[in-house]
Amino acid sequence: MSEFTPRYLADYQVSAFTISTIDLTFELDDTATKVTSVMSVKRQGSGEEPLVLDGEHLTLLSVKIDQCLLSASDYYLSATGLEIPVRADEFQLTIVTEINPQDNTALEGLFKSGDAFCTQCEAEGFRRITYYLDRPDVMAVFTSKVIADKIKYPYLLSNGNKIASGELDNGKHFVQWHDPFPKPCYLFALVAGDFDLLQDSYLTSENREVALEIFVDKGNLAKAEHAMASLKNAMAWDEETFSLAYDLDIYMIVAVDFFNMGAMENKGLNVFNSKYVLADTESATDVDYYNIEAVIAHEYFHNWTGNRVTCRDWFQLSLKEGLTVFRDQQFSGDMNSKTVSRIQNVRVLRSQQFAEDAGPMAHPIRPEKVMEMNNFYTLTVYEKGSEVIRMIHTLLGAEGFAKGMALYFERFDGMAVTCDDFVNAMADASKVDLTQFKRWYSQSGTPHLKVSESFDPEANLYHLTISQHNQAGELSSPQSCLHIPVKMELIDADSGIGQQQLLELTAPEQTWTFEHYQAKPVVALLEDFSAPVKVDFEQTDLALEVLMLAASDGFCRWDAGQKLLSRYLHKLVLEPGYALPASLITIFSKILQKDSDPAFTAEQLTLPAFGEVVDQIHQVDPLALVNALKTLKGFLAKGLQEPLSACYHNCAEKTALSHQQAIGNRALKNICLSYLAVLPGADTLVAAQLSSAANMTDTLAALNASAYNNLPAFDSQMSAFESKWHDTPLVVDKWFTINASLNSDDIFERLAALLKHPLFSIKNPNRARALIGAFVSANPQYFHCQSGRGYQFLAEQIKRLNEINPQVASRLITPLIQYKEYDLSRQQLMLEQLKVLRALPQLSKDLLEKLDAALN
Ligand code: TRP
Ligand code: ZN
């Protein structure tokens, strides 16, 4: 019963006990691993409370307090924990448990990834290893001894520094590790296996020599080079930007194939999904390279924002995640094109986070009620959380923000703290009042800005009025309105000269007046996407075209084009035969001919994603939107055929480019291909690119074009690809993804066959997502088909995953619980599947929480 009760932020209480040290011994075995834990425990309160330890899926072998072995009548054992009515205020507690890593398909706690043992303890997985106070404000010094077969597991790893190792009987050996930094148990890690090891080192600004080690599956050594280079760049960046240097003598990263998420920042021993480590140009795309750099940096940055200063409780998750995402985004912006990086952040926010904020699981970046913590590693906590930090950065300036960070570490190093603690440090260091700003932490929903303008030609005055509204569209009250930084530029229509300014919207409605304008200026609003809001502002096509070419801010140039395209997509959804204006061709041919960064031009030519438009149209018919996207793409392809083709061939012929230039060049070439491939006779062009492609980026672009247009050669192209890559798991994932996104009426027969394919395994999260997740997000035409078969397919797979891996099941259900975005007939079909799932016996807590939220 207690397992299914929600917890509330308001109920936070300090732990009745603390644990200052924990000594762990693991005797590794596939099905019966023995875990011995020796802890120094101390009462914190004055009361007589019993010691209540968390524990799940454990077999308890023994409990000892000091030298006294307890019998079963000395404690209460339940499915969720162990309660000991202890009297002493300070004692040594010894607990021995047995666990089964082999059968652990949930991939939480200790599990097997292929032949290796590894752990995942965040958020509450340590309780699947031993009985413990599994909460982030209980911080202990960990010592861990790992014992295993020497031949099968030559590498035995844990957090901190190696302090002992040696041989044991029966072909076993051991290694003992000590982590001097007290930490919550969610940062504990253990890995045992046989790997190839890439070694390097880094000299910190404090002249500390740090050994850098990346462990990968045998044969993959060369594929770890990019991750290593990224790690060193991240280490240098954090020293330069925030004066933060690494603190241990060794930093290890292990890449595993079975992992629920991207990666995990365990102190000194990061565990990564191999997808975010392994890359070479033949097998990985430019996007893969970009993501590896970002995730490597993200986990590294956690060493300070998350590990040295951690969260008081899980409601504060955005304290470490929002801040660390902000840090990795800034880093990625510095390493790559800043504008293109920013555009990618905004696309994710608009196409996914806005939907989450409008759906049944909407929550503030600091949630107030949680049933299953794993359900709150969300786009809201991470991405919107990062936007909130970015707004603080905007309001304080880079220097004020850096001062705030310095004060934050001065105050809280080694502690478990709250989001309020962070904001207070920022406010105190910069002397900027952030009292009203804090409302961003407790309000859910995407704020809406309504904008109007007027021009007085007599007085040469320009007035800009902005009001703020909540998710439901109601004008915010003075008590609820947010502090919103609005960066903007006024562009003089004649000279094209702009004036930039930061407006601070703090009231429900405000008007700003600008003097000395001879003619009405064009306003570029929300430069660099300075706040995570929706903007309601009816700018004319002409004004948007001015912005596309003349706004100083790259984000605004891009955004104006997206607004123009969305406007016509909307018209096409309402009226499929709508005659699109020739002006669209004119402006986009100007964009194509403009001498911009090719990576940026590629973004300008990219149509808004399905999910972005869904969010803009009330109860949209998804097939009408699929068709609108097809029509607009065809219209642009036809009207721009010549310049697109010229641009394509120009890019294809370019040689002697720098690494960064080559990436931008490929992006531009491949967006041109995606247009040209919808025109008659595309087969030859796609086939030619496929046969000449020297890297995965170009190969995948061609295969995707083949899948989107259901080209006749699709099957033969895919089987050639399969024969070439069947031994490379990350590329096999790509193969499943392209198969799942094929626009073909027999897609459901194909999906059934793919589920039975020898390379498919629903137990591997990457593989499950590559097939099921990709069908759902990359094949809207069939996922949303009128028969409801798409929804039924998803529900059936979620049903299987409910028993195998609840975390993966719970993430895949997202589009179904967001049923209100679609027309009423889709809503009915989705609801039907939600009810089927709700009726399942043995529903996991993860799914139950979401289903109950969706079905009320
Ligand atoms: N802290 C991790 C990160 O953001 C997130 C994470 C990794 C995680 N694995 C997980 C969260 C498993 C929940 C469950 O870098
Ligand atoms: Zn993180």
Side-chain angles (χ1 to χ4, degrees):
M1 182 57 211
S2 71
E3 207 185 346
F4 294 98
T5 337
R7 287 172 283 171
Y8 296 87
L9 167 59
D11 291 345
Y12 174 82
Q13 283 195 322
V14 172
S15 173
F17 292 86
T18 55
I19 301 174
S20 56
T21 64
I22 170 167
D23 245 289
L24 288 161
T25 304
F26 289 83
E27 296 163 64
L28 292 177
D29 182 275
D30 278 356
T31 55
T33 288
K34 196 167 138 192
V35 184
T36 304
S37 162
V38 182
M39 297 158 275
S40 329
V41 187
K42 201 170 168 178
R43 195 181 290 278
Q44 280 205 105
S46 50
E48 301 261 289
E49 296 109 308
L51 176 65
V52 184
L53 301 173
D54 305 293
E56 286 169 13
H57 301 97
L58 300 172
T59 305
L60 179 63
L61 298 184
S62 68
V63 193
K64 231 163 71 175
I65 287 196
D66 293 322
Q67 291 318 309
C68 174
L69 192 66
L70 304 194
S71 65
S73 59
D74 297 330
Y75 51 78
Y76 307 100
L77 197 57
S78 76
T80 59
L82 171 65
E83 182 176 328
I84 311 173
V86 60
R87 297 271 168 72
D89 287 340
E90 206 170 343
F91 51 93
Q92 190 184 67
L93 178 63
T94 305
I95 295 179
V96 185
T97 52
E98 190 185 287
I99 49 183
N100 183 341
Q102 183 87 75
D103 288 352
N104 184 352
T105 58
L107 313 184
E108 268 188 288
L110 180 69
F111 62 93
K112 299 233 34 201
S113 172
D115 292 331
F117 284 95
C118 72
T119 55
Q120 172 55 42
C121 294
E122 188 175 7
E124 298 177 328
F126 192 75
R127 63 186 63 187
R128 291 174 180 236
I129 291 173
T130 186
Y131 292 96
Y132 197 73
L133 294 172
D134 190 358
R135 45 186 287 171
D137 59 349
V138 171
M139 297 169 78
V141 171
F142 279 66
T143 306
S144 328
K145 184 174 179 179
V146 189
I147 301 168
D149 184 273
K150 188 167 181 180
I151 308 279
K152 276 162 88 180
Y153 307 102
Y155 291 105
L156 305 176
L157 315 174
S158 192
N159 318 86
N161 303 308
K162 195 186 277 195
I163 54 167
S165 62
E167 310 275 322
L168 299 166
D169 293 343
N170 305 322
K172 297 199 169 166
H173 70 146
F174 78 93
V175 178
Q176 192 173 31
W177 296 81
H178 177 77
D179 178 2
F181 294 95
K183 64 170 177 287
C185 63
Y186 83 84
L187 290 172
F188 169 79
L190 174 159
V191 174
D194 192 4
F195 301 101
D196 272 350
L197 169 57
L198 181 65
Q199 287 183 295
D200 206 326
S201 73
Y202 181 86
L203 189 65
T204 71
S205 52
E206 296 160 347
N207 266 323
R208 176 200 290 279
E209 170 103 10
V210 182
L212 307 178
E213 304 194 330
I214 302 184
F215 297 84
V216 296
D217 276 355
K218 295 237 153 200
N220 282 335
L221 206 55
K223 290 190 182 178
E225 298 283 356
H226 174 61
M228 185 63 89
S230 302
L231 174 60
K232 291 197 273 183
N233 285 337
M235 294 177 88
W237 186 91
D238 219 12
E239 291 179 353
E240 274 160 35
T241 314
F242 292 115
S243 305
L244 297 173
Y246 188 61
D247 52 12
L248 284 165
D249 300 329
I250 182 166
Y251 191 84
M252 295 176 282
I253 290 174
V254 185
V256 300
D257 285 341
F258 282 66
F259 207 65
N260 283 344
M261 305 270 284
M264 180 62 212
E265 71 266 24
N266 319 300
K267 184 80 187 187
L269 176 57
N270 291 181
V271 177
F272 270 63
N273 187 323
S274 55
K275 182 183 157 103
Y276 295 113
V277 175
L278 303 178
D280 59 20
T281 52
E282 252 203 286
S283 67
T285 64
D286 294 332
V287 172
D288 292 330
Y289 271 77
Y290 180 96
N291 290 338
I292 288 169
E293 180 183 68
V295 178
I296 290 270
H298 179 96
E299 305 312 329
Y300 175 72
F301 295 154
H302 266 315
N303 190 56
W304 278 95
T305 50
N307 301 4
R308 286 287 286 259
V309 181
T310 194
C311 302
R312 185 193 72 171
D313 55 75
W314 288 122
F315 298 100
Q316 317 293 331
L317 181 61
S318 205
L319 172 79
K320 74 176 176 83
E321 295 303 347
L323 179 54
T324 303
V325 171
F326 173 71
R327 279 151 54 66
D328 84 54
Q329 289 180 350
Q330 293 293 86
F331 168 75
S332 292
D334 285 349
M335 296 290 124
N336 304 278
S337 155
K338 231 189 207 56
T339 303
V340 172
S341 285
R342 187 66 188 132
I343 288 169
Q344 302 298 1
N345 304 157
V346 176
R347 273 195 212 282
V348 171
L349 214 67
R350 285 182 176 162
S351 61
Q352 300 180 62
Q353 195 279 326
F354 283 9
E356 185 169 275
D357 237 348
M361 283 293 288
H363 51 278
I365 62 166
R366 181 184 54 210
E368 282 154 16
K369 175 188 174 190
V370 166
M371 188 145 96
E372 170 50 62
M373 190 52 213
N374 286 328
N375 280 340
F376 289 83
Y377 288 77
T378 58
L379 290 144
T380 299
V381 167
Y382 277 63
E383 310 300 320
K384 186 178 181 179
S386 164
E387 295 300 320
V388 169
I389 303 295
R390 182 181 298 275
M391 288 190 284
I392 297 179
H393 187 269
T394 301
L395 291 169
L396 271 56
E399 221 175 286
F401 188 86
K403 273 197 210 160
M405 287 284 278
L407 184 60
Y408 174 62
F409 293 116
E410 192 183 309
R411 284 185 183 168
F412 303 119
D413 189 10
M415 296 165 66
V417 305
T418 64
C419 296
D420 268 338
D421 290 328
F422 176 81
V423 180
N424 290 342
M426 283 287 155
D428 293 350
S430 64
K431 312 222 158 39
V432 172
D433 186 355
L434 294 174
T435 316
Q436 184 184 357
F437 186 85
K438 283 186 183 172
R439 290 177 190 162
W440 279 103
Y441 283 85
S442 38
Q443 282 184 27
S444 67
T446 307
H448 228 97
L449 302 189
K450 290 198 175 153
V451 184
S452 61
E453 54 183 352
S454 69
F455 181 63
D456 177 348
E458 306 291 295
N460 292 346
L461 295 178
Y462 173 78
H463 308 283
L464 185 69
T465 300
I466 310 181
S467 59
Q468 51 173 306
H469 304 252
N470 65 13
Q471 177 77 45
E474 305 149 351
L475 185 69
S476 303
S477 68
Q479 293 75 37
S480 69
C481 69
L482 296 161
H483 185 172
I484 303 175
V486 180
K487 283 206 253 179
M488 53 90 82
E489 179 185 34
L490 284 181
I491 302 166
D492 186 278
D494 297 328
S495 66
I497 295 171
Q499 236 193 324
Q500 290 173 292
Q501 200 175 324
L502 171 65
L503 311 177
E504 296 190 30
L505 179 64
T506 52
E509 180 174 298
Q510 268 164 267
T511 297
W512 289 268
T513 297
F514 302 88
E515 299 175 338
H516 310 307
Y517 278 92
Q518 308 297 321
K520 185 180 163 192
V522 177
V523 58
L525 212 65
L526 219 63
E527 286 185 316
D528 202 33
F529 200 61
S530 63
V533 298
K534 292 188 196 183
V535 180
D536 228 330
F537 185 18
E538 276 309 309
Q539 282 174 299
T540 62
D541 281 14
L542 218 61
L544 292 175
E545 288 170 15
V546 168
L547 293 176
M548 284 171 75
L549 297 167
S552 307
D553 177 56
F555 166 79
C556 280
R557 287 201 300 280
W558 169 80
D559 196 35
Q562 295 288 301
K563 223 171 163 177
L564 195 61
L565 294 168
S566 295
R567 178 171 292 170
Y568 287 102
L569 284 169
H570 201 157
K571 290 186 199 282
L572 284 168
V573 165
L574 299 176
E575 186 191 337
Y578 182 86
L580 293 165
S583 59
L584 274 180
I585 302 298
T586 315
I587 181 70
F588 280 96
S589 72
K590 279 187 195 160
I591 295 295
L592 257 168
Q593 256 117 57
K594 200 171 178 234
D595 188 25
S596 305
D597 168 18
F600 179 71
T601 306
E603 293 300 334
Q604 281 189 301
L605 291 172
T606 303
L607 295 183
F610 180 84
E612 286 175 69
V613 192
V614 165
D615 189 68
Q616 294 162 7
I617 306 178
H618 182 63
Q619 294 185 349
V620 67
D621 168 357
L623 290 196
L625 176 53
V626 167
N627 289 328
L629 282 159
K630 270 191 201 163
T631 305
L632 182 57
K633 188 152 211 179
F635 176 79
L636 291 172
K638 216 163 147 200
L640 296 166
Q641 182 167 9
E642 241 174 76
L644 282 169
S645 177
C647 181
Y648 177 82
H649 290 289
N650 181 33
C651 290
E653 279 149 28
K654 273 205 177 124
T655 49
L657 296 171
S658 74
H659 179 68
Q660 274 307 327
Q661 286 171 328
I663 293 171
N665 191 60
R666 275 192 287 274
L668 183 53
K669 177 180 69 182
N670 287 324
I671 187 75
C672 291
L673 178 72
S674 84
Y675 281 102
L676 296 169
V678 307
L679 299 172
D683 311 45
T684 350
L685 188 64
V686 171
Q689 170 151 335
L690 198 54
S691 63
S692 69
N695 58 71
M696 189 53 80
T697 304
D698 288 344
T699 304
L700 274 199
L703 288 175
N704 277 321
S706 199
Y708 182 77
N709 299 293
N710 195 12
L711 299 183
F714 178 78
D715 283 323
S716 66
Q717 290 166 342
M718 288 296 278
S719 62
F721 187 81
E722 184 191 356
S723 343
K724 179 164 179 195
W725 291 107
H726 59 88
D727 284 334
T728 310
L730 294 172
V731 185
V732 172
D733 291 339
K734 297 183 195 301
W735 182 82
F736 275 101
T737 293
I738 298 167
N739 272 303
S741 59
L742 178 67
N743 271 323
S744 167
D745 286 339
D746 62 355
I747 188 70
F748 292 105
E749 288 72 39
R750 286 170 175 266
L751 289 173
L754 289 163
L755 285 170
K756 296 202 182 96
H757 193 283
L759 287 171
F760 186 73
S761 159
I762 201 162
K763 289 189 182 173
N764 180 320
N766 285 359
R767 201 56 52 88
R769 288 184 285 248
L771 180 58
I772 305 158
F775 170 66
V776 165
S777 63
N779 205 339
Q781 169 157 3
Y782 292 97
F783 176 60
H784 293 290
C785 68
Q786 242 128 13
S787 66
R789 254 179 112 173
Y791 308 149
Q792 191 189 341
F793 169 81
L794 176 58
E796 278 162 10
Q797 303 316 312
I798 290 172
K799 177 181 171 205
R800 292 172 69 194
L801 280 162
N802 174 53
E803 278 156 39
I804 295 166
N805 188 326
Q807 274 187 58
V808 172
S810 185
R811 281 180 183 275
L812 283 173
I813 205 175
T814 305
L816 289 180
I817 65 169
Q818 292 172 355
Y819 62 92
K820 284 194 177 138
E821 312 242 306
Y822 302 99
D823 60 49
L824 297 176
S825 75
R826 294 324 189 291
Q827 292 196 16
Q828 268 326 105
L829 292 167
M830 290 185 170
L831 275 167
E832 232 173 81
Q833 297 304 324
L834 291 172
K835 287 176 190 155
V836 168
L837 289 172
R838 183 63 186 83
L840 286 178
Q842 307 287 315
L843 205 51
S844 67
K845 222 203 298 190
D846 313 54
L847 280 179
L848 181 76
E849 180 171 36
K850 290 192 179 178
L851 286 166
D852 278 352
L855 297 167
N856 302 312

